[in-house]
Amino acid sequence: MTSQTNRLPRAGRRLDRSKPISFTFDGKRYGGFEGDTLASALLANGVRLVARSFKYHRPRGIFTCDPHEPSALVQLRSGARQEPNIPATMVELYDGLEAASQNRWPSLQYDLMSVNQLFAPFFAAGFYYKTFKWPAKFWTGLYEPVIRRAAGMGRLSGKIDPDTYEKVHHRCDILVIGGGAAGLSAARAAAQGGARVTLVEEHARLGGFDSTGLEQDIAALKALENVRILPRTMVFGWYDGNTFGAVEQVSDHLAVPAAHQPRQRLWKIAAAQVILATGAHERSLVFGNNDRPGVMLASAAERYLRDYGVRPGDRAVIFTTNDSTAGLATALEAAGVTIAAVADARDGDEIETVHGRTSVKGVTLRQKDGSTRKLTCDVVCVSGGWNPAVQLLAQRGQKPRWSDSLQAFLPQQMAGADFLCTGSLAGLEDREACQIHGRIAGDAAARRFTAPDSADLTDYHALLEANEHSAANCAYFEASAGTSKKFIDLQHDVTAADIALATREGYHSVEHVKRYTTLGMATDQGKTSNIPGIAAMSKALGTPMGQVGTTGFRPPYRPVSLGVLAGRSRGRHWRPILRTPLHGWVADQGGVFIESGLWHRSQYFPKPGETMSQAVNREVQAVRSAVGFCDVSTLGKIDLQGPDAAVFLDRVYSNGFAKLPVGKSRYGLMLREDGIVMDDGTVSRLAEDHYFVTTSSAEAEAVLSHLEYCHQVLWPELDVVFADAGEDWAGISLAGPRAREVLARIATGTDTSNEALPFLAARETAILDGVPARLFRISFSGELAYEIYVPAPYGRPLAEALEREGADFGITPYGVEALDVLRIEKGHVSSELNKFTTAGDLGLGMMMSGKKDFIGRALSTRPGLTDPDREVVVGLKPLDPARSFRQGAHITAKGAPLAPENDAGYITSAAWSPTLESHIAIALVRRGRERLGEVVEIIDPLHGEDPVPATIVSHHFYDPENARVRS
């Protein structure tokens, strides 16, 4: 293990030196202490080179001490917990931590991809737009594979994430974002005003940049019962209705989460009032080789000294444009660092360029008289001023305003808004001013919440105005001499020359320049580089900063793991699973399940040695020749009652139900308001004012929602009530020539004869010695069939009884695959209800009543929906019964060239029919009913298969007279 050569003997208030820690970086073992970050520990061990840049693979070091680190991105852990692109500045050190550099090969020190620097003239702004357009054939064969291999930075493990994630919904009166001096004062004042306050801070500790002297304030805030503090929590998005998304790092600072502990927690926070105390980001300065390891922000150097007891180097040059660096030289000297020079751009001094390849070795300093001198140093501390962190406000749609005196974009103070800004975000620099203004903002927010009319913001605005009027910060600096690259965006390798080139090529909008150069499009969203980039535009265009403006900022504020967004909804939990009451019985029978929407339905029931197709053929043949039964519990089921129930149904269905006799069922067709078919199903009248409605499985929720809308919005005067009964009833379809004989054995108290229980009869009865049941003679298979509904707990007993009592008749359970073959043979539509078809397209025009009004009637007569050239439902049979075709294959006239204008339609359902001993299909074909008997070609360019000659026939392949369903 290496010694911590840059660690000071006593400094470092965040460290617990009694708890040493061992960790590895690129396989080499180092030491640190509890309280360290990976960045501070690497610096303590003298490690400067930690990363390579994205485009040029230039050496990069640690630039900040904050979450918006643009350079020192590392890969953490190994195996399934491996995670790329994590700022080393935000990794809390723990014993055994594994970290690795990324975006380099074969090693960090010797990266062959750094050869890209030699081709820098070809990689200027917009090179990807210009280089890869011609010749076009080179794109797939050459450009794309190379770019894809080079793209990206870190790599995922490709393994299943073993950790868990949680989601929490939270409400508060006032949300304070930021736990620095201003945020602490605001939260305390708001809580003392009686509001329920939630304080969110992205770091592990409260206090912000310098928490010295704030210990009592922090303790007092923690003692308040109406305050919730969320450390290690980053607010990443501001959404409608003052709803915020935040991610809590619950156990990222641990090697492995404790038992039952999530790795991260997603908070959805709704707040009545918001106080933003998000602080400010120090910005860089633009000069030659300003990206070399050893160049870092002045505030970062100061924090590594104070918080972690780490000397950033042995010999330093400070380069600044403002007074925030006033005490840095003293602090560095006290730590034993030699100050080679302090260059202040306000006095005309500047760094022209940095020397050194993988670390800073020295600088060329240009003085105000034009002379230059070369200085030896190993660290350069830079400060170009501060950028208020306006990103969350921009997400709300608020454009910040430019302040000439502060040389920064500030939040606009909007009258009557439900948010307040304070601290560095509002342009305040002095800690005492931040605390005073924070208290004013907290008190005002509490008053606005408890008594909106009593809130006085006079002091709130006065302090901000006085601060802005007294400020005098230096404007943007860019070195005027030197040939070395001057970087603005360190992560995406965007240089000052790139910005100038973009403006010369006609890009004068800041949004266009952003996209053309990729300025601010990296994981840090340009928090240290956007203002220098905008200033470079201002300089190139001769346009004031305020007129150049800023880009927009979208969520997330910082990268968010996909795992925490998914929460527990992944793997088999990625969405809800619906199981029918017969699920366990199907599993015990060896049935295979298929996902159908949220439902897990029985697909087929294979016997030993059977393939899927063999099992499906056997099940179909059993229904056609004897008897079978199928789980139909997934159908939507709605219980509808009331004196106006018949009137209501007449209005929502295209066919009539007012005259439907009690004890009868009828197929129903429901249209949308635009005349397109919404769903089909059945309506059964159990009593004068009591109906039982079934819908397709896929549209159950949509139909129920539609009915609610019709009742509550369109016709609230109708006396009708309805309830979703989908989970109350288990349903089984009993179908086949011998179905009546099986039914008679389980419904011993019911006359099951054809005369007593004819086609479309509906009965409430009892089966299985007293189990209440609803019995409907309805067929989807084209055979004599019954739908039997029993209370859900009796679903399995009903299946077992059918299996037992039907054994003598060869009863066979069948799944949805066989059900689909049966309905295609019969010509019932299902997949054809595709949100675009009309009743006429589906051959169901006769179900549209001409004697009453109903939803969709008027718009169903539009010329476009009655055009005779529309695609309508027909059947297809191949000339060679053994030739198959797929759902989605297209239809052309025989011999017609393959061209879009010759496309006559497409197949919506296809299957092998064991009954007809042929492949068959249902299709939507233009003018299909006029083309019965025509031979066409089925083409499938996607799969590259030869055309299949087929004949257009009626889609009612089996028993078109409906004799079998009535037998």
Side-chain angles (χ1 to χ4, degrees), residues 69-88:
E69 170 63 41
S71 294
L73 302 182
V74 299
Q75 191 129 327
L76 291 184
R77 307 179 185 89
S78 59
R81 287 191 168 90
Q82 178 175 308
E83 189 175 16
N85 298 328
I86 305 300

Side-chain angles (χ1 to χ4, degrees), residues 613-689:
S613 60
Q614 290 170 336
V616 172
N617 289 342
R618 173 179 51 79
E619 292 169 15
V620 171
Q621 290 168 335
V623 174
R624 294 289 185 224
S625 62
V627 62
F629 66 101
C630 177
D631 182 5
V632 294
S633 303
T634 60
L635 293 175
K637 296 174 280 292
I638 301 170
D639 202 279
L640 190 145
Q641 302 183 38
D644 294 327
V647 175
F648 182 75
L649 290 170
D650 264 359
R651 294 180 182 180
V652 297
Y653 280 99
S654 65
N655 49 331
F657 291 96
K659 296 182 180 179
L660 179 67
V662 174
K664 294 290 288 184
S665 300
R666 180 171 294 167
Y667 290 102
L669 186 69
M670 186 178 294
L671 306 187
R672 302 186 321 213
E673 290 188 354
D674 60 0
I676 299 297
V677 173
M678 180 179 186
D679 193 49
D680 65 346
T682 65
V683 177
S684 303
R685 194 167 195 171
L686 304 179
E688 280 296 323
D689 57 357

Side-chain angles (χ1 to χ4, degrees), residues 306-380:
R306 183 186 64 240
D307 293 347
Y308 304 103
V310 173
R311 288 182 305 138
D314 295 320
R315 186 176 176 84
V317 170
I318 299 173
F319 186 19
T320 186
T321 66
N322 60 91
D323 292 337
S324 68
T325 58
L328 179 58
T330 302
L332 288 171
E333 286 180 327
V337 180
T338 301
I339 304 300
V342 176
D344 194 324
R346 293 173 294 185
D347 297 331
D349 296 333
E350 63 181 61
I351 292 178
E352 185 175 289
T353 190
V354 171
H355 306 290
R357 192 179 69 85
T358 59
S359 65
V360 172
K361 301 298 183 183
V363 300
T364 293
L365 190 65
R366 181 175 293 274
Q367 297 176 279
K368 60 183 177 182
D369 61 3
S371 63
T372 62
R373 59 186 176 125
K374 193 170 182 180
L375 300 175
T376 300
C377 63
D378 59 356
V379 62
V380 178

Side-chain angles (χ1 to χ4, degrees), residues 547-615:
Q547 293 182 26
V548 175
T550 64
T551 60
F553 297 96
R554 293 184 292 270
Y557 171 77
R558 280 202 289 119
V560 174
S561 71
L562 295 178
V564 76
L565 295 178
R568 297 184 182 273
S569 302
R570 60 193 182 102
R572 66 188 184 92
H573 300 298
W574 82 274
R575 62 178 184 174
I577 296 174
L578 298 181
R579 297 185 175 95
T580 75
L582 275 71
H583 187 93
W585 178 85
V586 172
D588 291 345
Q589 300 300 309
V592 176
F593 290 99
I594 186 173
E595 291 187 26
S596 178
L598 298 180
W599 289 103
H600 281 203
R601 301 185 68 179
S602 49
Q603 186 180 17
Y604 63 101
F605 294 81
K607 289 186 175 181
E610 274 189 333
T611 65
M612 175 178 166
S613 60
Q614 290 170 336

Side-chain angles (χ1 to χ4, degrees), residues 479-493:
S480 57
T483 58
S484 301
K485 287 187 177 299
K486 306 171 206 173
F487 287 91
I488 291 180
D489 188 316
L490 295 184
Q491 191 172 136
H492 270 183
D493 284 337

